[in-house]
Amino acid sequence: MMFNLKSSLLLMAAVPTSLFVKAQDSTRIFTKINNQYSIERNFRSQFYYNPANKPDYSSSSFSEFSIGYHDDHRKVYREQLGAGDKGLSVSASSFLKLNTNRSVWGEASYQNLKKRPFRWNENLDYERIAPYITADSLGGTLNVERYFFAGGLSQKINRWTLGGEVSYLAQLGYRSRDPRLKSTTSDLSVNSGVNYKVFREYEVGVFGTVNKYTQNSSLTFQSVLGKPFVYQMTGLGNSNYFFSGGVNPSQTFEEFGYKGGIQISNKQGKDFYLKASAGRSNNTKSHKDKGSNTSFEISELENKNFELEGAKFLTLKEKHRIGLSANYKAVVRTGSEFGYSVNTSATEQIFKRQAYRSENFMSSVKVLYQYSQDDFTVSASPFFGYEEIKERNLYPNSGQKFEYSYLGITADYRQSINSDQMISFRPYFSKRTVNKSINALSMTASKEINEWILHDYQFQASDITTFGASLRYDIKLEKLPAFFVCAEYRTQKIQEKNNNFAGASLGITF
């Protein structure tokens, strides 16, 4: 379901406004903003995936409304993801502490983006549906609108804590010149959790999510001088020959997924927590040509994931806070292709075979050190990681493998100027180093596709160094909500070239 911009903005404005009279004010803006954008809370953000943990998310209520603009310009990039994007975003969010036992929260946002030229992909949400994308050699700039809404409630009842959250993301992508793509997506998630206090402040909990995703995409051509060939890709440059080509093709992706997990924590995760989760989803792609009344299932993508995370926090001499977090994540995707025959009077499915597999294993460790005074806070969070990616196609036999090491650090400095003003400065650095890359790719009959696949391999086999920083200024005026201005710049060095990002936002907090 798509909403027009006017309705969306009115709804987003209403979310924080409805909470304005109840949101807690602070005579000192530094104390309020430091809590609203808690460094430690952000460090353990995965802990709050379970909505039953939200009653202790914050000791006070807060809301934000902001308008922002960004420009992401890339010189080196994966062609199917494009050369960056630019556009406007509007967002609103609120967390309301109704009492010591009950909290509610909500979020809404709208984005209007122009995605810079890309090729070999005529779908949205590439990372979700790959490798079963629709592709052509022409591509072009794409206009994208995104609408997001979420809301949740958590309640403590004696030793029990219950929580639930519903979120919905809708997208519209379109292009006004050949190939004329129109794509819509709908992504609905329902998340719930239950905690039980077993001893003192020790809690155990379970949580689960169900998700329903749909994407409808169509391509049309109006030029009488010809059009590019349209491929139904199956991975690593290979395509389904039977359904490629066609006349103004359309595709539908249907996905249903679920995820469940358990946790144990002490002092609402402020002392320590351990969390494990596992999930599974199944995404089916159907194809239909213009003028045809029959839709054919042509591929199926199964996604299995497992994640384990633990964190421990210590306070030293009241003003020093230390945290340590470790995470392991595994994602395995298996793709199946459907084969058809036209030897009879009708097109019939004759086989289904597993033909694609990708494996992604990642482990990371991060550390937090924070020193706090009444008028300033400084923190540093170094991190280290290792990732292994394997991708293989069986028909024909083709594959590639990558091993990466990651290291970086994020710092944060917040300083009170006076009771009504403060500044925040956040520099960061990260580096991806390629430890190993293996090219076992099979070449196809298309020279253009071979060039694309080799270009994509070279990008994934490249080191990436990232530097960035953001600067924010908050001020509270008499009889008005506090407002802020924020600017961010990031540069990314890949293959001796720089990809640059710049963004700015203006908003109010209360």
Side-chain angles (χ1 to χ4, degrees):
M1 179 179 179
M2 292 290 171
F3 303 92
N4 59 45
L5 174 58
K6 182 177 180 181
S7 299
S8 301
L9 294 179
L10 288 174
L11 179 57
M12 286 186 285
V15 173
T17 301
S18 64
L19 303 181
F20 177 80
V21 295
K22 295 184 180 180
Q24 297 181 8
D25 191 15
S26 175
T27 57
R28 194 160 182 269
I29 192 171
F30 176 80
T31 304
K32 180 174 178 60
I33 297 300
N34 208 33
N35 171 68
Q36 187 163 342
Y37 305 99
S38 168
I39 298 168
E40 183 178 324
R41 189 191 302 137
N42 182 64
F43 184 82
R44 60 169 183 268
S45 59
Q46 288 299 311
F47 177 71
Y48 297 106
Y49 180 85
N50 178 0
N53 293 329
K54 279 292 188 77
D56 301 295
Y57 185 75
S58 170
S59 59
S60 60
S61 302
F62 51 78
S63 300
E64 177 186 296
F65 179 82
S66 65
I67 300 175
Y69 181 85
H70 76 266
D71 189 344
D72 185 8
H73 185 73
R74 304 174 189 172
K75 296 180 180 179
V76 182
Y77 55 92
R78 301 182 72 180
E79 289 190 78
Q80 63 271 36
L81 296 179
D85 57 52
K86 61 180 179 179
L88 175 75
S89 61
V90 183
S91 64
S93 62
S94 289
F95 175 83
L96 183 58
K97 189 82 170 177
L98 298 176
N99 53 49
T100 56
N101 294 323
R102 181 183 298 174
S103 299
V104 296
W105 59 92
E107 182 180 354
S109 66
Y110 168 78
Q111 285 185 301
N112 191 323
L113 305 176
K114 184 177 289 293
K115 297 190 67 175
R116 289 192 164 95
F118 58 93
R119 302 192 305 159
W120 304 112
N121 177 21
E122 295 294 357
N123 297 107
L124 298 176
D125 297 333
Y126 173 85
E127 302 283 355
R128 187 165 196 158
I129 64 175
Y132 298 116
I133 58 173
T134 300
D136 62 70
S137 60
L138 188 58
T141 300
L142 189 69
N143 299 299
V144 177
E145 294 184 47
R146 292 194 184 116
Y147 306 80
F148 176 75
F149 305 93
L153 167 70
S154 58
Q155 173 71 56
K156 291 184 178 181
I157 306 173
N158 298 322
R159 288 178 172 268
W160 297 89
T161 305
L162 310 177
E165 182 179 49
V166 178
S167 64
Y168 178 73
L169 172 66
Q171 297 181 100
L172 168 64
Y174 57 93
R175 187 186 295 126
S176 58
R177 57 184 299 178
D178 290 358
R180 299 171 189 266
L181 169 65
K182 182 178 180 181
S183 183
T184 60
T185 71
S186 172
D187 190 1
L188 176 66
S189 292
V190 179
N191 189 12
S192 62
V194 179
N195 289 349
Y196 180 74
K197 186 175 291 186
V198 292
F199 176 70
R200 293 183 179 177
E201 295 189 66
Y202 288 88
E203 287 185 309
V204 295
V206 295
F207 54 90
T209 302
V210 292
N211 173 252
K212 181 67 172 67
Y213 172 83
T214 302
Q215 178 176 173
N216 292 293
S217 298
S218 62
L219 275 180
T220 58
F221 299 88
Q222 295 187 9
S223 174
V224 297
L225 300 178
K227 65 182 182 69
F229 192 80
V230 178
Y231 299 88
Q232 302 299 330
M233 307 304 296
T234 59
L236 300 176
N238 300 293
S239 61
N240 186 322
Y241 179 80
F242 191 90
F243 290 102
S244 294
V247 179
N248 295 342
S250 64
Q251 307 84 40
T252 298
F253 297 85
E254 293 281 355
E255 178 182 295
F256 178 78
Y258 55 89
K259 181 179 180 179
I262 59 174
Q263 70 170 51
I264 181 172
S265 64
N266 186 33
K267 297 181 180 179
Q268 298 84 46
K270 298 179 180 64
D271 180 27
F272 81 90
Y273 70 85
L274 292 172
K275 179 177 74 74
S277 64
R280 182 175 181 175
S281 65
N282 195 77
N283 190 312
T284 301
K285 178 182 179 182
S286 301
H287 171 85
K288 181 170 66 175
D289 283 326
K290 183 180 179 181
S292 172
N293 295 322
T294 305
S295 179
F296 299 95
E297 292 185 355
I298 63 174
S299 63
E300 187 177 84
L301 185 64
E302 182 184 60
N303 187 320
K304 295 180 181 179
N305 61 80
F306 172 79
E307 186 171 8
L308 179 65
E309 180 170 292
K312 173 64 179 177
F313 300 90
L314 296 170
T315 300
L316 304 176
K317 297 181 180 180
E318 296 185 359
K319 299 183 183 298
H320 302 267
R321 186 72 167 161
I322 297 174
L324 175 65
S325 174
N327 178 279
Y328 172 78
K329 186 174 184 178
V331 179
V332 177
R333 312 178 84 193
T334 304
S336 299
E337 302 172 12
F338 296 82
Y340 288 84
S341 171
V342 290
N343 292 330
T344 62
S345 58
T347 302
E348 295 181 350
Q349 180 183 325
I350 56 176
F351 68 81
K352 175 185 176 182
R353 64 187 183 188
Q354 289 189 357
Y356 173 84
R357 184 178 177 88
S358 71
E359 301 173 355
N360 188 325
F361 306 100
M362 185 169 185
S363 56
S364 63
V365 175
K366 57 181 180 178
V367 180
L368 171 68
Y369 170 75
Q370 180 174 319
Y371 177 73
S372 301
Q373 288 282 5
D374 291 339
D375 58 353
F376 79 90
T377 298
V378 62
S379 70
S381 181
F383 61 88
F384 312 89
Y386 175 81
E387 183 177 22
E388 180 180 338
I389 299 174
K390 301 176 183 178
E391 190 175 13
R392 184 181 178 186
N393 210 58
L394 297 180
Y395 305 101
N397 201 345
S398 181
Q400 56 187 5
K401 178 181 178 180
F402 306 96
E403 293 181 11
Y404 304 121
S405 292
Y406 297 89
L407 64 87
I409 186 170
T410 299
D412 201 304
Y413 177 73
R414 301 176 183 180
Q415 176 69 58
S416 173
I417 300 174
N418 54 43
S419 62
D420 296 325
Q421 300 178 71
M422 67 168 290
I423 59 171
S424 306
F425 179 59
R426 185 175 180 269
Y428 52 91
F429 161 80
S430 66
K431 183 175 179 61
R432 183 185 83 176
T433 302
V434 180
N435 300 328
K436 181 186 292 187
S437 60
I438 298 176
N439 178 350
L441 298 169
S442 297
M443 295 297 99
T444 71
S446 169
K447 179 182 177 181
E448 284 189 302
I449 289 181
N450 293 337
E451 290 176 350
W452 161 43
I453 295 302
L454 289 175
H455 178 274
D456 192 64
Y457 169 81
Q458 290 166 2
F459 179 92
Q460 296 183 82
S462 299
D463 294 345
I464 300 177
T465 303
T466 304
F467 294 92
S470 65
L471 181 64
R472 171 169 164 153
Y473 171 71
D474 289 83
I475 183 172
K476 176 71 171 70
L477 300 176
E478 187 177 357
K479 297 181 180 180
L480 291 174
F483 77 87
F484 67 87
V485 291
C486 182
E488 180 180 0
Y489 178 78
R490 180 180 71 239
T491 184
Q492 201 174 57
K493 187 175 183 180
I494 310 174
Q495 300 175 6
E496 304 304 320
K497 295 182 179 179
N498 290 331
N499 295 341
N500 298 314
F501 172 95
S505 60
L506 172 68
I508 59 174
T509 59
F510 44 90

